[in-house]
Amino acid sequence: MKSWPRVEVPPLHSKYQLNELSLTNSKTGLIQVVPAKPMYRMYVCGITPYDATHLGHAATYLTFDLIGRYLRATGSVVNYVQNITDIDDPLLERAARDGIDWKDLAHSQIELFTSDMESLRVLPPDSYIGAVEAIPLVVDAIQGLQQQGSIYPINHDYYFSNSPESTFGELSHLSQEKMEEIFSQRGGNPDLPGKLHSLDCLVWMSQREGEPGWPSYLGMGRPGWHIECTAIALEYLHPDPADSFLIDIQGGGNDLIFPHHEMCRSQARVLTGKELAANYVHAGMIGLDGEKMSKSKGNLVLVSKLVSQGIDPMVIRYALMGHHYRDDQMWSDELLSKAKASFEKLKQACSLAEVPETSKLVVEIASALANDLDTPTVIKLLDEWASECLLGGSGGNATDLKTSLDALLGLKF
Ligand code: ZN
């Protein structure tokens, strides 16, 4: 799949020596160092293109954009892979409900998503892989699991069986009862007759009448969601055999911890005997005025709509950075207005011929980012510096500051 256009990232001045990045690992609940290395492998779950992408999506991909920018600023290469689930039940259901072709629906929603990412200056993935184009990989992965004795049929569908070696449950740490409850809410069927274990997940669904299907040794059908990400991550990130894990970071919104990431981890473990990710990183959800954002409630805030109303995408970026990535947050007009005022002040300060000390500010911003991506502190530092700047002061270098803000935060004036 074609990714969105490349975003130029200026190099950070060599005088800035960055600390190792620390991030909260959802598996351990601890803030954990991402050790320095020449190349990182990062996989972030992409969208299922059936519904409008909103600020919640923007916040998630912004989080991994900041992680990618920081790791790149240390001089490392980041191999970044993202999927797009361009065939799945929600997409087919929505297309049928609205009387449109599922391919047209997917295409229009992918366009909307990628244009949002482009306007927010989110760095595109190096590999942007659709589920449909990944079907041969997925089928190979299912075959690999079958060779381990972990695949069984129910009617003409195929399921992945969680064996003890998969250490299922060690990512999300939920009780069996809770896992079954969430699994049911998110499309799973723990009570399906013929299942070996209630939480076994679908890896290959046989073609249903009126639905698309692709040929495979399992018959005509389509892949399950979890195995799609497992197969794409393993193929496109080329794990290093010397590592005890397969990739450095697996990421997404915190609604993906269970069942999606738990399932991917489990499948990868059975396929390779290794831990999928050294660090599982999850972003919080965004609501509006006290409620969860959803199309059914009619309260989606869309990046494209804000931009069409004249809001600078950099203000949206700045506003989203005002909260910590792991926390759920409520969006409001007031939050946006405050961010706009603070950003305009910063922009004005950076345009002055004389500005106060900036090197110390860049060091402090980098330190805050290294500390589990503490963007609220970054915004506070910028706001305080801009206020000081407007009162006068000299000794700083506005050009260097602007370059640093672009490199580390993706902010461009
Ligand atoms: Zn995924």
Side-chain angles (χ1 to χ4, degrees):
M1 178 108 26
K2 194 169 169 287
S3 195
W4 57 96
R6 191 161 168 255
V7 177
E8 286 298 327
V9 182
L12 194 67
H13 195 286
S14 57
K15 69 182 173 184
Y16 299 118
Q17 297 296 315
L18 302 190
N19 296 328
E20 284 176 322
L21 177 64
S22 290
L23 294 168
T24 300
N25 184 354
S26 300
K27 182 166 176 271
T28 59
L30 302 172
I31 296 179
Q32 188 176 306
V33 168
V34 180
K37 57 196 289 198
M39 201 269 277
Y40 295 97
R41 298 171 174 83
M42 180 161 79
Y43 185 89
V44 179
C45 290
I47 60 161
T48 299
Y50 71 100
D51 205 348
T53 61
H54 52 76
L55 273 182
H57 299 100
T60 295
Y61 298 106
L62 171 64
T63 296
F64 295 96
D65 179 69
L66 293 172
I67 291 171
R69 283 174 185 272
Y70 191 91
L71 294 175
R72 285 180 174 93
T74 64
S76 302
V77 170
V78 180
N79 186 359
Y80 177 23
V81 177
Q82 190 180 131
N83 70 309
I84 186 147
T85 307
D86 57 357
I87 184 67
D88 205 0
D89 287 344
L91 175 61
L92 295 174
E93 284 161 14
R94 185 63 60 93
R97 189 198 75 179
D98 296 348
I100 50 175
D101 188 289
W102 64 274
K103 290 193 274 310
D104 293 340
L105 175 60
H107 181 74
S108 66
Q109 296 307 311
I110 292 168
E111 285 278 300
L112 178 63
F113 173 70
T114 54
S115 64
D116 281 358
M117 293 299 106
E118 196 182 341
S119 65
L120 290 170
R121 304 189 75 243
V122 169
L123 304 181
D126 302 290
S127 304
Y128 191 40
I129 310 297
V132 172
E133 66 183 299
I135 286 174
L137 300 178
V138 174
V139 172
D140 283 352
I142 296 171
Q143 202 160 21
L145 290 171
Q146 195 164 34
Q147 283 158 5
Q148 301 294 325
S150 293
I151 297 293
Y152 63 94
I154 300 180
N155 300 323
H156 295 288
D157 300 333
Y158 289 84
Y159 283 78
F160 167 67
S161 173
N162 278 297
S163 55
E165 305 85 70
S166 71
T167 64
F168 187 77
E170 286 189 8
L171 169 59
S172 52
H173 307 287
L174 299 168
S175 66
Q176 177 74 13
E177 196 183 5
K178 193 73 191 165
M179 285 195 280
E180 288 185 6
E181 183 190 324
I182 301 174
F183 191 54
S184 300
Q185 290 164 356
R186 298 189 181 161
N189 184 353
D191 303 319
L192 184 73
K195 270 194 161 184
L196 296 180
H197 312 286
S198 57
L199 297 169
D200 291 347
C201 67
L202 183 76
V203 289
W204 188 258
M205 181 192 259
S206 61
Q207 187 172 15
R208 306 298 201 253
E209 202 182 331
E211 290 190 358
W214 288 264
S216 83
Y217 82 99
L218 302 162
M220 287 294 284
R222 57 184 165 96
W225 175 34
H226 313 305
I227 191 70
E228 168 198 337
C229 283
T230 311
I232 294 173
L234 296 187
E235 173 72 14
Y236 286 90
L237 286 171
H238 311 291
D240 183 344
D243 287 336
S244 60
F245 50 85
L246 298 164
I247 63 174
D248 296 283
I249 293 171
Q250 189 196 30
N254 63 16
D255 55 339
L256 297 187
I257 297 176
F258 189 87
H260 186 50
H261 287 174
E262 191 73 79
M263 298 292 183
C264 295
R265 176 185 175 270
S266 187
Q267 291 166 347
R269 197 150 187 118
V270 172
L271 278 171
T272 68
K274 289 186 178 187
E275 184 68 36
L276 174 57
N279 209 325
Y280 297 89
V281 181
H282 293 99
M285 300 286 110
I286 297 218
L288 178 72
D289 300 326
E291 285 199 306
K292 193 172 182 269
M293 236 180 243
S294 74
K295 195 169 187 179
S296 57
K297 287 191 179 129
N299 66 349
L300 293 183
V301 179
L302 310 182
V303 173
S304 51
K305 197 160 178 203
L306 292 175
V307 173
S308 72
Q309 288 166 355
I311 306 291
D312 180 349
M314 292 299 98
V315 170
I316 302 171
R317 206 176 159 102
Y318 193 85
L320 289 171
M321 285 193 283
H323 86 290
H324 191 261
Y325 76 93
R326 280 178 53 79
D327 296 337
D328 292 340
Q329 92 156 341
M330 282 299 154
W331 184 262
S332 65
D333 288 344
E334 191 195 351
L335 184 147
L336 181 62
S337 304
K338 275 190 182 166
K340 187 170 185 291
S342 176
F343 183 76
E344 291 301 331
K345 184 171 70 175
L346 177 65
K347 198 170 159 184
Q348 194 192 345
C350 284
S351 69
L352 297 175
E354 290 284 343
V355 296
E357 170 65 70
T358 47
S359 295
K360 185 169 162 276
L361 174 65
V362 173
V363 169
E364 286 173 350
I365 288 170
S367 298
L369 288 171
N371 179 22
D372 200 21
L373 230 54
D374 182 3
T375 54
T377 294
V378 170
I379 296 299
K380 188 166 167 279
L381 287 166
L382 286 172
D383 190 72
E384 285 170 1
W385 177 84
S387 296
E388 184 194 340
C389 192
L390 296 179
L391 295 173
S394 61
N397 180 338
T399 304
D400 176 58
L401 176 63
K402 283 192 276 190
T403 301
S404 305
L405 297 184
D406 187 354
L408 291 171
L409 304 176
L411 289 177
K412 204 170 173 74
F413 303 112

